[in-house]
Amino acid sequence: MPRLQSGVWKHFTPAIKDGRETFMCNYCSKTYTKNATKMQMHLDKCKEYSVVSQQSPGPDGSSSASIPVPSLSFLPSATPGGQFLIDSVDQRIQAYADECLARAVYATSSPLTLTDNIYWKRFFSVLRPAYCPPPREALSSHLLDCEFDRVQSQVHESIGKADCVAIISSGWSNVKETGTIIYAVATPVPLFYKCTMTKEQTRTSTFIADELKGVINEVGSQKVFAVVTDDAPEMMAAWAQVEEAFPHISAIGCTASGVERLFDDIVAQPSMKSLCRRAEQVVRCVQEQKMLSDTFRCWKTTKIRDHTSKGTALELPSGTNWTSVVNMFSSLLEGQNSIREMAVSPTLDIEVTVRATLQDAEFWKGLSSSRNLLYLIGNYIDFLKREDAALSGVVDMFSQLRYVIGTSLSASVLHSGEQKAVMASLDRCQEFCVKPIHAAAYMLDPKHVGQQTLTGEQINSAYYAISNLSHHLNLDEGKVLGSFARFSAKQGLWKGAGIWSSCQHVSASTWWKGLCSSEPLSAVAFAILQIPPTTGACERLWQHLRSMKMKGFVSAERVQKLVAVQANLNLLEPSDFDYAPLESDEEKKASFQSESHQ
């Protein structure tokens, strides 16, 4: 009797019986507890398995196994009244099917335990009775390694074909917590490039700069036009070192991270912290006392029926997202009528300090104005984190942000000294986020032509950035600036109204490459307008990494490979190899001729 080539487990189906794990033979239905030796001995004696295990050579010399499957009403039987359908899968088909299944599992972020599930096993047996899907161990080991190598090859091929790319790096600001630095390459599609592990002690500007320069050289420095990083304190010094080594590269900070830090600075002001503490005290008082909680819920339900209130429950801050504080403020404001009525009720036992807070009109006024201010800033954070956020929108966004903060601070709970501190924080945020390349992107985006809000200094810096890239691309600077003048004045190619209306339907970089490629300025504009304004791609990858770690993966290397495959499979166009036929046309023709002569 031949010994098993792939282990005993694939020939048994796991199940739970009377609270115990059992394994049923796929051929004769005999059941065993988990014991590989006894199960192997059973297979050596199983008559039904002996029929299955008979090997016959396939057309390419590989072995082929025929597996009897009980006939079902919807499956054809081998003979009239027969009991079995004979199916076969040779090694080549099995390997190809495993590869396709693994790719589908990775691309859809399906659990790797999917193929161990009895219902999926039955589904596969209906589709192809002789096919045995790979277990979790195979999906997380050699199949993952092969797919990772294949996908990474496609990533490098895409980067090689791109005319201009940007390096995105994140993880430096919280290296103490994670130790993981993520690199993505925007082509402009943000492809997962690699992860590195580092220690907090190595987080110096020189170390960071050397790491960034290493990735730039790996990708190809001539096609890298920007480096986008998080807001680690050492970053600005690291940027200077990168730009010194590669004068044509602009090093910029993640705009979303900058605005998040501004948000945190506002919440950290003493008056705002005091307001947050009072709001949290009210929420805890209502939530933790059953009488108050039941009364609030009852009164709130009544007001919902009367259409004078919404159904939002009181919320305490949780997590670090900007919505945490805003949601607490909003929940209090939406339940304000019920809570204030509770404060004057003689039958309810409410702490003296909480009752005083609920009866304080200034508390509610400050809650409303502060909620509005924080909500507006938070919306900018979410807007910047969108996948379609553009570098050209950063300058305009800061103009709007400065106006919003300036007009809202006077109505907030912050006193004059704190308001000055917030404006100083806004200045630091803008210094971190807005560089000459942002001004250049703003001036080159057709959606902003005629809406210039730049200062003279920003305009001069934009000219410098455009001239610098012109030299790097071996373009005539005079011709490039002349083209820029015609673009700004809407002359020549840009004289008609149609070309301007078209920019509302495509990205700015596509507009330049697709409609204005004949202009000397086109290559420069195309490179600049593809640069992402944030490290959002890396942040999404990091969330995915953390999710996979929480699912119990032991090896960090396995987790990184799985995330890389999952992320990139959904960004890269499927290659012809994904759907390659198992036989070439010549092989099919030879097989057909052979069958015809029989």
Side-chain angles (χ1 to χ4, degrees):
M1 179 65 61
R3 303 299 293 173
L4 296 176
Q5 300 295 321
S6 303
V8 70
W9 308 108
K10 64 184 288 184
H11 299 278
F12 288 80
T13 299
I16 301 296
K17 184 176 182 181
D18 298 329
R20 294 192 309 164
E21 185 179 34
T22 60
F23 294 83
M24 184 181 70
C25 175
N26 293 336
Y27 312 101
C28 69
S29 301
K30 189 172 180 62
T31 301
Y32 287 86
T33 57
K34 189 175 183 179
N35 188 310
T37 302
K38 289 184 178 180
M39 294 160 72
Q40 178 67 67
M41 292 173 62
H42 166 77
L43 286 175
D44 289 343
K45 298 178 182 180
C46 180
K47 294 182 180 180
E48 286 78 4
Y49 173 67
S50 66
V51 175
V52 175
S53 61
Q54 300 302 316
Q55 304 294 315
S56 59
D60 61 348
S62 62
S63 61
S64 168
S66 297
I67 297 182
V69 180
S71 295
L72 299 176
S73 60
F74 54 85
L75 291 177
S77 58
T79 60
Q83 296 301 309
F84 296 104
L85 167 71
I86 304 301
D87 186 26
S88 65
V89 172
D90 62 30
Q91 292 178 354
R92 183 175 56 171
I93 295 176
Q94 175 77 32
Y96 184 69
D98 287 351
E99 177 186 334
C100 291
L101 175 61
R103 186 171 302 136
V105 169
Y106 304 146
T108 56
S109 300
S110 299
L112 303 189
T113 55
L114 180 147
T115 56
D116 293 335
N117 183 280
I118 183 61
Y119 298 106
W120 278 103
K121 285 185 175 183
R122 290 176 181 173
F123 173 68
F124 289 127
S125 70
V126 171
L127 290 181
R128 191 69 188 266
Y131 173 62
C132 183
R136 169 184 172 158
E137 290 74 16
L139 289 170
S140 63
S141 56
H142 70 276
L143 287 173
L144 177 59
D145 291 335
C146 291
E147 188 65 8
F148 174 78
D149 291 341
R150 187 190 74 85
V151 171
Q152 285 304 101
S153 177
Q154 284 190 312
V155 168
H156 289 290
E157 183 180 351
S158 296
I159 293 172
K161 291 179 179 178
D163 296 323
C164 49
V165 301
I167 307 296
I168 311 172
S169 177
S170 181
W172 298 103
S173 59
N174 59 349
V175 68
K176 181 179 180 180
E177 176 188 347
T178 66
T180 304
I181 309 300
I182 300 178
Y183 295 94
V185 178
T187 62
V189 176
L191 301 174
F192 184 114
Y193 187 68
K194 71 175 183 180
C195 277
T196 60
M197 303 299 293
T198 189
K199 298 179 180 179
E200 184 184 11
Q201 295 87 334
T202 63
R203 194 184 70 174
T204 64
S205 59
T206 300
F207 180 83
I208 294 172
D210 289 343
E211 291 286 294
L212 292 172
K213 286 187 283 187
V215 175
I216 290 170
N217 285 320
E218 287 177 18
V219 171
S221 61
Q222 292 301 304
K223 63 171 57 185
V224 178
F225 287 81
V227 170
V228 189
T229 72
D230 59 25
D231 60 344
E234 303 81 4
M235 272 305 170
M236 285 187 150
W239 295 346
Q241 296 176 52
V242 170
E243 291 178 336
E244 182 180 2
F246 307 102
H248 69 283
I249 294 179
S250 295
I252 61 176
C254 171
T255 310
S257 297
V259 179
E260 282 178 337
R261 180 164 292 188
L262 170 65
F263 183 96
D264 293 340
D265 286 347
I266 296 175
V267 175
Q269 297 303 315
S271 297
M272 189 69 75
K273 289 177 68 175
S274 174
L275 180 68
C276 289
R277 282 195 300 268
R278 296 178 73 189
E280 188 170 340
Q281 185 183 25
V282 171
V283 174
R284 288 190 184 279
C285 179
V286 174
Q287 286 186 343
E288 294 174 1
Q289 295 187 45
K290 189 175 187 305
M291 176 67 75
L292 297 181
S293 178
D294 291 345
T295 301
F296 175 75
R297 185 165 49 251
C298 178
W299 289 8
K300 193 80 182 296
T301 303
T302 302
K303 293 182 182 298
I304 291 172
R305 292 198 196 102
D306 295 339
H307 306 288
T308 60
S309 180
K310 296 182 180 179
T312 306
L314 297 182
E315 294 187 30
L316 284 171
S318 60
T320 57
N321 188 279
W322 70 268
T323 59
S324 181
V325 173
V326 173
N327 286 343
M328 179 176 68
F329 287 1
S330 295
S331 68
L332 282 169
L333 289 168
E334 289 168 5
Q336 178 181 174
N337 292 336
S338 298
I339 297 174
R340 297 183 77 170
E341 287 178 18
M342 290 168 59
V344 298
S345 172
T347 61
L348 295 176
D349 182 20
I350 300 176
E351 294 178 33
V352 175
T353 55
V354 173
R355 192 183 294 273
T357 295
L358 297 179
Q359 293 176 326
D360 183 2
E362 290 300 313
F363 167 76
W364 294 103
K365 181 180 177 182
L367 206 64
S368 177
S369 61
S370 299
R371 189 272 306 269
N372 293 341
L373 171 62
L374 296 177
Y375 180 77
L376 288 171
I377 298 174
N379 272 346
Y380 283 110
I381 296 173
D382 281 353
F383 174 78
L384 289 165
K385 288 184 176 180
R386 286 170 40 177
E387 293 184 15
D388 61 347
L391 190 73
S392 58
V394 172
V395 172
D396 197 36
M397 185 212 71
F398 268 97
S399 297
Q400 298 175 25
L401 191 59
R402 188 168 292 276
Y403 174 79
V404 165
I405 294 177
T407 55
S408 301
L409 281 179
S410 58
S412 71
V413 297
L414 304 180
H415 59 67
S416 59
E418 292 172 335
Q419 293 176 22
K420 290 179 181 178
V422 169
M423 295 308 294
S425 178
L426 176 58
D427 291 338
R428 290 192 299 272
C429 177
Q430 186 165 351
E431 181 185 3
F432 173 79
C433 295
V434 180
K435 301 298 178 183
I437 200 72
H438 294 86
Y442 181 83
M443 294 180 71
L444 290 169
D445 191 328
K447 297 182 181 69
H448 297 305
V449 170
Q451 304 174 11
Q452 301 291 3
T453 60
L454 302 179
T455 65
E457 182 180 354
Q458 288 176 323
I459 292 173
N460 289 335
S461 69
Y463 288 150
Y464 173 79
I466 293 171
S467 298
N468 186 34
L469 288 186
S470 298
H471 292 303
H472 175 70
L473 294 170
N474 296 317
L475 299 172
D476 186 312
E477 180 183 354
K479 290 182 178 179
V480 170
L481 292 178
S483 178
F484 183 57
R486 291 192 296 275
F487 165 74
S488 301
K490 296 186 178 182
Q491 295 178 358
L493 173 67
W494 297 285
K495 189 176 183 179
I499 195 169
W500 294 104
S501 62
S502 65
C503 72
Q504 303 297 328
H505 305 286
V506 294
S507 67
S509 60
T510 300
W511 186 83
W512 275 99
K513 188 173 184 179
L515 296 178
C516 311
S517 58
S518 61
E519 287 289 332
L521 182 60
S522 176
V524 176
F526 180 69
I528 292 176
L529 291 168
Q530 282 196 120
I531 299 171
T534 71
T535 60
C538 287
E539 299 303 324
R540 289 187 287 273
L541 289 168
W542 165 240
Q543 293 297 328
H544 205 166
L545 273 172
R546 186 167 65 174
S547 173
M548 297 309 302
K549 288 179 181 178
M550 293 173 63
K551 290 180 180 179
F553 282 84
V554 178
S555 168
E557 180 188 7
R558 299 281 107 190
V559 171
Q560 292 173 14
K561 284 188 174 183
L562 184 59
V563 171
V565 169
Q566 289 176 341
N568 289 331
L569 273 176
N570 292 312
L571 292 173
L572 294 165
E573 289 292 329
S575 67
D576 292 337
F577 176 75
D578 293 348
Y579 306 99
L582 292 176
E583 294 180 327
S584 66
D585 292 336
E586 290 75 15
E587 289 175 325
K588 287 183 178 180
K589 183 177 181 181
S591 176
F592 176 79
Q593 291 175 344
S594 175
E595 292 176 0
S596 300
H597 290 300
Q598 289 180 356

